[in-house]
């Protein structure tokens, strides 16, 4: 019965029907988190915006294409997930949530991002994969604390030179785009730790050996004639890489994500005790 009601909700956007799926949210959750992902919502019930102490709001996998102005009341929000919805433009109210650290916008229909996004100066992670972007929005270059940028599965052909301003950026995912050349701006970003250009159209790779912080470069599924040169200890995933057998790019991405989650190197194990002297 519950599945039937949820199916009806998807086609009947009346407030009473939409409120059904969040009927239990009448008080501020103790963990300051609301997760209504996959609830067939076509609009966000306004009463959720009354939880002004909310820190995490997950609205993934719904049918949203707009957000109420009341969302601006959530000034303590740090994580907002809007991925797998129907947004053709990012609602301006999102740009007023100045405490946001993580913003998920993947798998929508975005062709650009508003200049007002630059107000989110606490943003550390931005996911804009699987949208309709033909170029990386310039406003991304103004997010000075950004550490992780996922812009894969779009139609990007190049990256703006201003991207090098993001000196806190450590991980950039560009798989599944239309890059024909390795983005020159990345050669001027020695602080990058993970570069993913898997599934593009890159025919030649310049040397990356000077990128002193680089840990992983994923360049598989490109029509390249050479492998990028890297410094000792850097993991490469692609043709002519040293690993045998060829590593799975998905495993390399998991490895890269683990680096992000555990940035501090572990202390080396102490040496084993010396055997007792026979003298």
């Amino acid at each position: 019965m519950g599945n039937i009601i949820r199916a009806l909700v998807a086609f009947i956007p009346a407030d009473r029907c939409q409120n059904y799926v969040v009927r239990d949210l009448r008080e501020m959750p103790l963990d300051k988190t609301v997760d209504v992902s996959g609830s067939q919502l076509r609009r966000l019930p306004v009463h959720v915006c009354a939880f002004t102490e909310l820190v995490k709001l997950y609205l993934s996998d719904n049918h949203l294409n707009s957000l109420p102005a009341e969302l601006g009341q959530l000034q303590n929000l740090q994580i907002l997930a809007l991925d797998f919805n129907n947004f053709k433009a990012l609602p301006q109210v999102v740009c007023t949530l100045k405490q946001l650290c993580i913003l998920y916008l993947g798998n929508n229909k975005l062709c650009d991002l508003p200049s007002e996004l630059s107000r989110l100066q606490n943003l550390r992670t931005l996911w804009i994969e699987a949208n309709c972007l033909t170029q990386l929005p310039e406003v991304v270059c103004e997010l000075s604390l950004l550490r992780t940028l996922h812009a894969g599965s779009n139609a990007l052909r190049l990256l703006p030179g201003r991207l090098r301003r993001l000196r806190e950026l450590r991980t950039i995912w560009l798989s599944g785009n239309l890059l024909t050349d390795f983005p020159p701006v990345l050669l001027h970003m020695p602080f990058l730790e993970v570069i993913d250009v898997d599934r593009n159209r890159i025919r030649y790779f310049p040397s990356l050996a000077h990128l002193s912080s680089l840990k992983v470069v994923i360049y598989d599924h490109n029509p390249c004639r050479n492998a990028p040169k890297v410094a000792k200890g850097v993991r490469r995933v692609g043709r002519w890489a040293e690993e045998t057998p060829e590593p799975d790019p998905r495993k390399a991405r998991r490895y890269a994500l683990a680096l992000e989650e555990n940035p501090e190197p572990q202390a080396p194990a102490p040496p084993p005790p010396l055997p007792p002297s026979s003298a």
Side-chain angles (χ1 to χ4, degrees):
M1 179 63 72
N3 290 335
I4 295 175
I5 293 176
R6 286 178 182 271
L8 288 173
V9 168
F11 294 99
I12 306 175
D15 287 340
R16 290 179 63 186
C17 291
Q18 295 289 293
N19 283 340
Y20 175 83
V21 297
V22 289
R23 63 192 183 282
D24 296 328
L25 294 175
R26 297 300 173 184
E27 296 182 0
M28 174 69 190
L30 294 178
D31 61 359
K32 300 183 180 181
T33 299
V34 167
D35 187 348
V36 289
S37 300
S39 297
Q40 303 289 343
L41 292 176
R42 288 178 175 257
R43 63 182 64 177
L44 176 64
V46 174
H47 77 266
V48 173
C49 303
F51 304 145
T52 56
E53 297 301 313
L54 207 62
V55 173
K56 303 175 183 179
L57 178 57
Y58 297 95
L59 303 174
S60 308
D61 193 17
N62 281 293
H63 302 285
L64 302 172
N65 57 27
S66 63
L67 293 171
E70 289 83 354
L71 187 75
Q73 298 170 186
L74 305 182
Q75 287 301 309
N76 291 296
L77 207 60
Q78 296 179 20
I79 299 177
L80 177 60
L82 299 175
D83 48 326
F84 292 93
N85 276 286
N86 295 321
F87 293 102
K88 294 183 178 180
L90 182 65
Q92 290 284 340
V93 66
V94 174
C95 302
T96 68
L97 305 174
K98 296 183 179 180
Q99 297 304 314
L100 277 184
C101 298
I102 301 176
L103 179 58
Y104 297 107
L105 299 175
N107 290 272
N108 278 285
K109 302 173 183 178
L110 301 172
C111 295
D112 201 357
L113 294 175
S115 60
E116 290 81 1
L117 192 73
S118 62
R119 299 174 184 170
L120 304 184
Q121 285 299 306
N122 285 306
L123 208 60
R124 266 75 167 178
T125 299
L126 177 62
W127 288 57
I128 50 176
E129 80 284 3
N131 275 286
C132 303
L133 300 171
T134 58
Q135 58 185 7
L136 189 69
E138 288 280 348
V139 67
V140 173
C141 304
E142 300 179 31
L143 303 172
S144 59
L145 296 184
L146 200 64
R147 292 184 61 87
T148 300
L149 175 60
H150 192 336
S153 300
N154 281 287
L156 304 181
R157 296 180 182 274
L158 48 82
L159 298 181
R162 294 175 61 208
L163 193 69
R164 64 195 295 183
R165 296 182 180 183
L166 300 185
R167 302 191 63 83
E168 297 298 319
L169 194 64
R170 297 295 179 266
T171 302
I172 186 165
W173 309 94
L174 299 167
S175 61
N177 277 288
L178 302 176
L179 301 172
T180 56
D181 297 300
F182 185 82
V185 65
L186 301 185
L187 300 175
H188 302 283
M189 302 176 71
F191 36 83
L192 284 174
E193 297 178 359
V194 178
I195 298 175
D196 179 8
V197 289
D198 181 34
R199 294 185 295 112
N200 276 276
R201 302 176 179 179
I202 300 173
R203 296 186 175 277
Y204 175 79
F205 280 93
S207 173
L208 308 181
H210 65 289
L211 299 182
S212 55
S213 298
L214 193 61
K215 294 181 174 66
V216 181
V217 56
I218 305 172
Y219 64 96
D220 207 13
H221 304 101
N222 279 282
C224 52
R225 300 187 302 270
N226 69 312
K229 293 182 179 180
V230 294
K232 185 177 181 180
V234 177
R235 184 174 184 182
R236 300 189 300 180
V237 178
R239 297 176 66 190
W240 307 293
E242 294 86 357
E243 290 89 353
T244 303
E246 188 72 6
D248 185 336
R250 290 171 296 181
K251 292 181 180 179
R253 292 192 184 98
R254 287 196 292 270
Y255 171 77
L257 288 170
L259 289 176
E260 291 183 46
E261 295 172 0
N262 302 283
E264 296 298 328
Q266 296 182 353
L274 294 174
S277 174
S278 59

